[in-house]
Amino acid sequence: MIAGVLFGGLTALIILGMPIAFALGMSTLLAVLAQGLPSVAVAQKLLAGADSFPLMAIPFFLLAAELMTSGALAEVLLRFAAMLVGHKRGGLGYTNILTITFFSGISGSALADAAGPGAILIRMMRQSGYPAPYAAALTATTSMVGPIIPPSIIMIIYALQDDSVSVLDLFLAGVIPGLMISGSLVLYNFWESRRRHFRAEGTSPTLPTVLRQGWRALPALMLPVLIVGGVHGGVFTPTEASVAAVFYALACGFLVYHTLTFAMLPAILARAAFLSAAVLLIVAMSSAFAWVLTVVQVPQALSQWIGSLGLPPLGFLLAINVFLLLFGIFIEPLPAVMVLAPILAPMAASLGIDPTHFAIIVIVNLTIGMITPPVGGLLFITALVAKVSMSELNRELWPMLALQIVVLALITLVPAFSLALPHWLGGP
Amino acid sequence: MGIPALPATGQTRRLHRLDRAVLAVNRALMIIALAGMAVLIFANVLLRYLAHDGLVWAEEVSRYLMLWMTFLGIGPVLRLGGHMAVDTLQQKLSPGGARAVRGIIVALLAAFMAYFIYLGVIYAGRTWVQATAITEIPFSFVAGAVPVGFALALWHLCAIACGFIAEGRLETSADLDPEQAASL
């Protein structure tokens, strides 16, 4: 009954067009009043939900990515990737995939990828005669790797919601699935370049060029290694790693590339602060929402129900995948993880599914929702930059989207893709 | 910023200037909070490795700075359309219908914010006797972020309400790209 008020209120408010953070808050308040709980507790839960040291990694990673982008790092990575693969047939397509994959090691979100290097690459591809819808679809799909290759904001939030996984394990577990997404697109670009006779740009680089450009790109390429290596080696916690990334980005911008000035800092800080506030408000509101869910024992009831069905783990995973794909069409990954992880993770655990493997399935799945028409967040921005209509974009998108579903199926069926790296590096 | 020119009566012009000042202070406080958090945590890591000593209060203070940044941000982010929403319904409706829907959204938001100012004041009042773990200041200084944040949010909501209800118009600024906020 109270669960009906919660979910019914949430759905109605979201359809009305209420910002999701407030839709979560309002439906929580409604359920609390209907249940006769003290409403001051909602204010307390709101505060407690955002009062967390691990959560602080989010503003810091956002700030690091802003500093790196303003510091022209996206362009350095782009030039390096273009030199490596630009001379092949369909070279700019490969450059696109490679640049965004590199950049994902700096940014923790898909939109940072699409809006940063993605926008530059779409313009370059259009000027070189690639079909604009192809460029837009490829950029949107490649940007999916942003939250899958570490660092990742979604993974930090997932680890907060499910105690049985660690941020470090999730970061490590995301590396191979992220590369699988990029790899599948490389294969697709190879096939399409042959079929449609895309051009090559420039000539193959000489060894001195490779070394020179590689040296220049090295500071940017090292960042993910520093973050994951530092956390794994016990040098610092994920939050401290994220603040180290901020000062590393500052050092790169001021000392290595000379692209940052002190006058730029207030605007960069403001952008990161605004974006962080938007994210953290959703986290705060969803934690109040999740608190009411637990009070009325929704996760427990659902776990029992799933248990009573006697599904085999694989059947459960397939059912969850279909459910999440449908759910992800309408809801962005961030609120989805906040609301669903506390419900789904215990169900998976009760069936003996590895929690880290399950987290990767959920995250990859919800990220696919960002490129699923009609409301995929990534599609809007790439269509806008490429100046193509949604229907033109969608025609190019379907094969790439289908490929990602195949990748998701592989990740679901073969736990080793997610678990090999955390196990090999001896996670706790 | 995309602010339409207002009729040049003294009253509205003063109000407009006050609004700009509120926004500027609000934004500056958010910048200070984020910069403060980063410097504190980084200094703490450096001290731990260089001086084998840390600032015990750094973690707690930076967590509270983050809370303040979050709640201070509700209003400014709202002005720029940075709270993600699904506007499919408004696009499907006639202009009049869309105006009505936006009117309902603004009314609900205003009521919600007002109620949370009230809840926040009660909560902050109750936590006056409760000290924080390390710095031992009254927790009210932290809980105060809720009523202050929602009061500022209500102010910023009023600043955009007319343009938003009439034409779905929000402000634009280099501080935030709504598309980016929508897809983290």
Side-chain angles (χ1 to χ4, degrees):
Chain A
M1 163 54 205
I2 298 299
V5 174
L6 263 184
F7 283 106
L10 181 67
T11 316
L13 286 164
I14 287 177
I15 291 173
L16 189 70
M18 183 64 70
I20 290 172
F22 292 100
L24 284 162
M26 286 174 194
S27 47
T28 304
L29 194 60
L30 222 58
V32 163
L33 294 174
Q35 178 81 344
L37 295 164
S39 52
V40 178
V42 184
Q44 187 221 334
K45 291 292 159 193
L46 214 56
L47 213 55
D51 185 5
S52 138
F53 188 67
L55 210 54
M56 220 181 289
I58 292 170
F60 293 153
F61 277 132
L62 287 172
L63 180 57
E66 282 294 338
L67 286 166
M68 286 281 190
T69 317
S70 308
L73 235 123
E75 276 139 74
V76 173
L77 287 174
L78 198 158
R79 235 173 287 142
F80 178 60
M83 177 216 50
L84 286 179
V85 292
H87 59 278
K88 304 262 196 287
R89 180 185 288 282
L92 269 180
Y94 297 125
T95 306
N96 186 323
I97 300 163
L98 202 58
T99 307
I100 292 180
T101 307
F102 287 155
F103 194 76
S104 299
I106 296 171
S107 84
S109 74
L111 241 282
D113 289 21
I120 311 172
L121 282 155
I122 290 175
R123 283 186 209 108
M124 282 172 65
M125 287 177 79
R126 250 196 13 206
Q127 278 158 16
S128 303
Y130 283 79
Y134 181 79
L138 186 66
T139 303
T141 315
T142 318
S143 298
M144 268 184 60
V145 296
I148 303 190
I149 289 181
S152 162
I153 286 168
I154 287 296
M155 287 178 182
I156 294 168
I157 289 178
Y158 192 103
L160 209 69
Q161 294 297 85
D162 178 6
D163 293 335
S164 52
V165 297
S166 74
V167 173
L168 175 63
D169 278 349
L170 288 185
F171 277 11
L172 288 169
V175 173
I176 294 174
L179 294 177
M180 285 167 70
I181 294 171
S182 303
S184 72
L185 291 166
V186 165
L187 288 178
Y188 183 71
N189 186 58
F190 176 81
W191 168 263
E192 286 296 293
S193 310
R194 290 274 172 299
R195 195 170 70 82
R196 295 201 239 176
H197 307 292
F198 289 159
R199 351 190 314 217
E201 316 272 328
T203 53
S204 69
T206 59
L207 188 62
T209 322
V210 173
L211 291 178
R212 205 176 51 242
Q213 297 267 18
W215 177 250
R216 204 168 148 68
L218 195 65
L221 295 173
M222 282 310 288
L223 186 61
V225 180
L226 282 179
I227 292 170
V228 175
V231 176
H232 183 257
V235 181
F236 29 57
T237 64
T239 305
E240 291 168 349
S242 66
V243 85
V246 166
F247 284 85
Y248 183 82
L250 275 174
C252 280
F254 278 108
L255 306 174
V256 182
Y257 300 114
H258 305 290
T259 40
L260 282 180
T261 58
F262 280 103
M264 292 162 78
L265 289 184
I268 291 172
L269 279 163
R271 275 201 299 277
F274 275 54
L275 215 48
S276 308
V279 173
L280 293 171
L281 185 67
I282 291 183
V283 172
M285 295 283 191
S286 344
S287 73
F289 185 90
W291 166 68
V292 180
L293 273 185
T294 338
V295 168
V296 296
Q297 307 218 317
V298 172
Q300 293 86 331
L302 278 172
S303 280
Q304 266 168 16
W305 177 66
I306 288 284
S308 71
L309 289 180
L311 277 175
L314 202 61
F316 168 76
L317 283 181
L318 290 178
I320 286 288
N321 267 323
V322 172
F323 166 72
L324 286 179
L325 279 173
L326 293 174
F327 196 79
I329 290 175
F330 303 102
I331 301 292
E332 297 292 337
L334 177 67
V337 163
M338 282 298 298
V339 173
L340 292 180
I343 302 179
L344 298 181
M347 292 184 183
S350 69
L351 290 173
I353 297 164
D354 185 280
T356 304
H357 179 216
F358 185 70
I360 295 294
I361 295 173
V362 171
I363 290 165
V364 171
N365 194 317
L366 290 172
T367 312
I368 289 178
M370 295 172 76
I371 59 161
T372 317
V375 282
L378 288 171
L379 302 176
F380 291 123
I381 188 146
T382 60
L384 203 70
V385 174
K387 302 193 179 72
V388 295
S389 74
M390 276 312 222
S391 56
E392 289 171 303
L393 175 66
N394 287 345
R395 265 199 298 280
E396 290 281 2
L397 181 76
W398 289 118
M400 301 186 205
L401 184 58
L403 261 180
Q404 298 323 307
I405 304 227
V406 173
V407 171
L408 174 65
L410 284 174
I411 294 169
T412 308
L413 293 173
V414 187
F417 287 136
S418 314
L419 299 178
L421 217 46
H423 283 178
W424 179 55
L425 288 169
Chain B
M1 298 207 180
I3 302 296
L6 285 172
T9 65
Q11 191 79 36
T12 53
R13 217 173 21 206
R14 264 198 300 280
L15 202 59
H16 184 68
R17 264 209 301 274
L18 177 64
D19 176 45
R20 292 288 98 186
V22 169
L23 182 58
V25 171
N26 197 159
R27 177 177 182 269
L29 288 174
M30 291 171 70
I31 292 175
I32 293 167
L34 180 57
M37 286 159 64
V39 169
L40 275 179
I41 297 295
F42 191 62
N44 205 16
V45 177
L46 286 185
L47 282 174
R48 196 174 68 220
Y49 279 97
L50 301 178
H52 301 283
D53 190 18
L55 307 166
V56 278
W57 48 269
E59 185 198 314
E60 185 175 286
V61 172
S62 51
R63 261 191 295 124
Y64 295 154
L65 283 175
M66 177 167 76
L67 287 177
W68 272 96
M69 180 186 74
T70 304
F71 286 92
L72 287 174
I74 301 173
V77 171
L78 184 76
R79 287 180 89 126
L80 303 175
H83 294 300
M84 60 174 97
V86 180
D87 61 354
T88 320
L89 178 69
Q90 284 163 50
Q91 284 165 8
K92 294 257 189 294
L93 289 173
S94 66
R99 262 197 291 277
V101 165
R102 286 194 294 264
I104 296 172
I105 292 175
V106 170
L108 284 175
L109 278 174
F112 183 77
M113 288 167 183
Y115 193 57
F116 265 84
I117 299 172
Y118 163 74
L119 290 180
V121 168
I122 294 182
Y123 182 53
R126 280 188 198 168
T127 51
W128 184 253
V129 289
Q130 180 188 333
T132 61
I134 294 161
T135 44
E136 293 181 340
I137 52 166
F139 193 75
S140 308
F141 286 113
V142 184
V146 177
V148 173
F150 278 107
L152 280 166
L154 196 56
W155 171 276
H156 293 301
L157 177 69
C158 293
I160 57 158
C162 291
F164 176 69
I165 294 173
E167 305 165 40
R169 192 181 58 222
L170 294 161
E171 293 179 3
T172 52
S173 146
D175 283 342
L176 188 81
D177 176 0
E179 288 290 342
Q180 195 177 347
S183 298
L184 269 158

